[in-house]
Amino acid sequence: GELRMYGRNIQDFTLHDLRKSIGIVPQDPYIFQGTILENIRMAYPEAPMQQVMEAMEIARVHEFVNDMPKGWNTVVGDDGYGLSGGQRQRIAIARAILGNPQILIFDEATSALDNISEKYVQTAMEELMATHTVIVVAHRLSTIRNVDRILVFDKGKVVEEGNFNELLEKNGLFRKMYDAAQSE
C-alpha cells in the first residue's frame, strides 16, 4: 500500500513540505523557557502580530493570558513551569495553528485536562475542523463526539468505522467502550 496526501503518494513530497503541511499537538506538549508569545511564534517566527493574535484567539489562549501580570510577555519556565496542563495545551494549539498546516493531528490532546480546560481545547479543535483536516487520536470518547469519521482500532487493525451515532448503533467494540466510559 501507500500513504497518500491530497491524492499524491507522500514519497512525492519533500520532507520540508511534509513537515510544513502537518501540525501536531501532542498529549504532553513541550513549552520552552521564554515568553508565551515566543513559545507560540516558534512555528512561524516572522508571523505578523495579527496572525499570532488570531491563532491565540482560536486556541483560547486569551482566556488565561490576559490575567497574567505581563500578558503574552509572561515568562514561563522550561517545560511550561508555572502553567497548567490546559494552558500548555492551548499554547501548543496556538503554535500549531500559527504554522498554518493543512493537516492538524491532536494526539490525546485532552487526556490530561480537567473538564473546563478540555472544553476550551475541544471548542478550538471543533472550530479548526471547519477549515482543516484534523486527525484526533483519543481514548476519551467525548473528544470525538462531533467528528465526521471515526476509525476504531483493535490490536492494530481497523475493526469499525463511522460517525459517533452510527458506531453506537452497531453495538460493537465502540459501543462497549462507550458503555464502559458511562459507567465510570
Side-chain angles (χ1 to χ4, degrees):
E2 63 182 12
L3 186 56
R4 301 175 71 77
M5 188 168 75
Y6 312 113
R8 292 176 44 204
N9 187 312
I10 63 162
Q11 293 179 347
D12 295 342
F13 292 90
T14 66
L15 185 57
H16 172 77
D17 288 342
L18 279 175
R19 286 183 176 157
K20 194 162 177 53
S21 297
I22 300 169
I24 300 173
V25 179
Q27 179 176 356
D28 188 20
Y30 193 82
I31 304 297
F32 299 88
Q33 184 165 347
T35 68
I36 291 171
L37 182 61
E38 289 168 339
N39 268 280
I40 293 169
R41 287 195 108 146
M42 286 184 162
Y44 179 15
E46 306 83 32
M49 199 57 177
Q50 177 65 30
Q51 200 170 340
V52 175
M53 292 294 120
E54 288 170 9
M56 290 172 72
E57 182 83 22
I58 293 167
R60 306 296 191 270
V61 173
H62 290 93
E63 300 288 337
F64 68 89
V65 80
N66 290 334
D67 294 333
M68 295 184 149
K70 294 184 180 177
W72 62 68
N73 289 313
T74 299
V75 175
V76 294
D78 209 18
D79 202 19
Y81 181 78
L83 297 173
S84 72
Q87 292 168 337
R88 288 180 25 227
Q89 284 300 93
R90 288 184 269 166
I91 290 170
I93 292 169
R95 183 190 303 156
I97 292 167
L98 188 61
N100 198 26
Q102 291 103 351
I103 300 169
L104 283 162
I105 300 172
F106 289 89
D107 185 5
E108 292 286 356
T110 64
S111 67
L113 304 181
D114 60 70
N115 290 335
I116 294 168
S117 294
E118 180 184 13
K119 180 94 174 113
Y120 285 130
V121 171
Q122 235 175 313
T123 300
M125 287 169 44
E126 288 175 11
E127 285 181 19
L128 291 167
M129 288 177 197
T131 56
H132 294 75
T133 298
V134 177
I135 298 169
V136 180
V137 178
H139 285 91
R140 269 192 193 175
L141 299 183
S142 60
T143 306
I144 58 172
R145 184 172 289 279
N146 297 321
V147 302
D148 295 328
R149 183 174 171 213
I150 299 168
L151 302 176
V152 181
F153 287 82
D154 186 28
K155 298 180 178 112
K157 296 190 187 300
V158 176
V159 295
E160 292 179 309
E161 179 178 346
N163 68 33
F164 198 91
N165 292 328
E166 291 168 347
L167 290 171
L168 284 178
E169 290 173 14
K170 287 183 181 181
N171 286 321
L173 180 59
F174 185 84
R175 181 60 190 232
K176 288 178 186 170
M177 291 186 298
Y178 177 81
D179 290 343
Q182 298 307 304
S183 65
E184 291 177 356

